[in-house]
């Protein structure tokens, strides 16, 4: 990478202890992600994907290593990083619009602009008509669209997503993938996307990081060379299927190795 990476993680180590024993969860993670790059993290359940993502978000600390955004060490959560989790994290007593406004207020946005900016971002995720609906009145996909609008509203440079479409039905998931690709392309975002769905990882990403298990580490980085914009349906092209198989094999090697240890 010639220019400075948007995100650089060096020699990152993370353990959890439960009083008596300490378990190493992340072992010497080294990753660089470029500006406007879309990367996925895949790997067996428990390999540390969510832990790594929440460290990047600044929501968890770590013992050793460095996490740099634009060359500067992170010190906690920040407006330069937006986060979307799998489960719906909207405040149930606020409308869709108010949920986005709330986040803008929290991040210190100019109060005069808050409603305008919130409306624009609901528009971006095609939810203007539901601005005054409460989360309980929205479908799963709509709730995730509000969560995306909220995460993008304060204009982060990096969008961190932890299995954001994992709880959605296949049709809605496909629509959300299209929407995300569109937003990513138009807004020059850097996306770190955690998924256990290999098809989704290959379809969306420039590169897929396969994580190893026990301890969690980066096992392999697989480049996805298919041209953009990627049409719906390419998931079934031969070259794409072959790459999916390669990613899947890499994940499986790791789970069977861990089982026999
Ligand atoms: N707060 C915590 N305390 C102790 N162990 C944890 C904690 N969070 C995660 N772990 C452990 O760390 C490992 C990685 O978890 P996680 O990052 O959630 O994996 P993934 O998202 O890849 O499924 C698992 O073994 C999990 O049990
Ligand atoms: Mg997880």
């Amino acid at each position: 990478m010639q220019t400075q990476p948007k995100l650089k993680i060096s020699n990152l180590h993370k353990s959890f202890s439960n009083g008596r024993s300490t378990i190493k969860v992340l072992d010497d993670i080294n990753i660089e992600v470029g500006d406007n790059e879309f990367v996925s993290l895949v790997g067996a359940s428990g390999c540390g994907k969510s832990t790594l993502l929440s460290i990047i978000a600044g929501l968890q600390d770590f013992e050793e290593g460095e996490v740099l955004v634009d060359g500067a060490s992170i010190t906690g959560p920040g407006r330069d990083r937006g986060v979307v989790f799998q489960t719906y994290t909207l405040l149930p007593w606020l409308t869709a619009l108010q949920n986005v406004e709330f986040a803008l207020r929290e991040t210190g946005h100019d109060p005069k602009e808050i409603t305008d900016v919130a409306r624009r971002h609901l528009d971006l995720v095609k939810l203007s008509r539901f601005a005054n609906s409460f989360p309980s009145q929205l479908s799963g996909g709509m709730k995730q669209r509000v969560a995306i609008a909220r995460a993008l509203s304060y204009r982060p440079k990096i969008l961190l997503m932890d299995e954001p479409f994992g709880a959605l039905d296949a049709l809605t998931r496909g629509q959300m993938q299209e929407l995300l690709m569109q937003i990513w392309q138009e807004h020059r975002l850097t996306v770190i996307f955690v998924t256990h769905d290999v098809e989704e990882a290959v379809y969306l990403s420039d590169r897929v990081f396969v994580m190893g298990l026990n301890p969690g580490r980066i096992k392999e980085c697989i480049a996805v060379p298919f041209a953009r914009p990627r049409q719906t349906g390419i998931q079934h092209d031969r070259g794409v299927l072959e790459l999916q198989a390669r990613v899947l094999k890499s994940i499986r090697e790791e789970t069977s190795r861990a089982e026999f240890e």
Side-chain angles (χ1 to χ4, degrees), residues 16 25 44-51:
F16 283 117
V25 175
S45 185
C47 73
K49 304 181 292 296
S50 295
T51 304

Side-chain angles (χ1 to χ4, degrees), residues 197-209:
D197 181 336
V198 168
E199 183 180 303
E200 179 171 68
V202 170
Y203 179 52
L204 295 175
S205 309
D206 297 312
R207 289 185 296 154
V208 177
F209 289 100

Side-chain angles (χ1 to χ4, degrees), residues 22-119:
T22 300
I23 303 167
K24 181 130 220 188
V25 175
L26 295 174
D27 184 37
D28 198 21
I29 305 286
N30 290 279
I31 297 182
E32 288 190 12
V33 183
D35 189 19
N36 201 28
E37 198 180 9
F38 196 124
V39 302
S40 289
L41 297 175
V42 299
S45 185
C47 73
K49 304 181 292 296
S50 295
T51 304
L52 180 54
L53 206 76
S54 64
I55 287 174
I56 301 170
L59 299 169
Q60 276 202 51
D61 57 4
F62 47 93
E63 296 93 54
E64 215 186 306
E66 216 176 22
V67 179
L68 304 176
V69 173
D70 284 326
S73 218
I74 61 162
T75 53
R79 286 172 61 164
D80 52 357
R81 285 151 288 144
V83 191
V84 179
F85 296 102
Q86 175 177 4
T87 43
Y88 315 120
T89 49
L90 304 180
L91 301 171
W93 58 89
L94 298 180
T95 64
L97 183 69
Q98 289 166 342
N99 263 283
V100 182
E101 289 176 336
F102 183 84
L104 286 165
R105 218 168 287 126
E106 291 281 288
T107 50
H109 216 87
D110 180 353
K112 292 197 293 290
E113 290 179 356
I114 282 180
T115 302
D116 239 26
V117 173
R119 282 196 187 283

Side-chain angles (χ1 to χ4, degrees), residues 2 18 37 54 62 81 119 121 130 183 189 191 197 200 204 208 211 214 233 238-239 257 261:
Q2 281 156 0
N18 60 2
E37 198 180 9
S54 64
F62 47 93
R81 285 151 288 144
R119 282 196 187 283
H121 283 85
F130 296 89
I183 292 172
L189 278 168
V191 181
D197 181 336
E200 179 171 68
L204 295 175
V208 177
M211 288 183 67
N214 295 337
R238 197 164 142 209
R257 187 192 60 77
E261 262 178 10

Side-chain angles (χ1 to χ4, degrees), residues 114-177:
I114 282 180
T115 302
D116 239 26
V117 173
R119 282 196 187 283
R120 241 185 298 131
H121 283 85
L122 284 180
D123 206 29
L124 181 72
V125 297
K126 304 182 171 59
L127 267 188
S128 307
R129 287 197 304 130
F130 296 89
N132 298 319
S133 301
F134 287 92
S136 61
Q137 299 169 311
L138 301 173
S139 69
M142 287 169 161
K143 281 188 264 204
Q144 280 309 64
R145 273 146 67 192
V146 179
I148 293 171
R150 182 178 59 183
L152 292 178
S153 65
Y154 47 88
R155 293 273 160 175
K157 296 173 283 191
I158 301 179
L159 185 60
L160 304 166
M161 306 183 90
D162 194 353
E163 305 200 29
F165 310 147
L168 305 177
D169 63 85
L171 188 69
T172 309
R173 190 182 317 144
Q175 291 166 343
M176 296 292 288
Q177 290 168 352

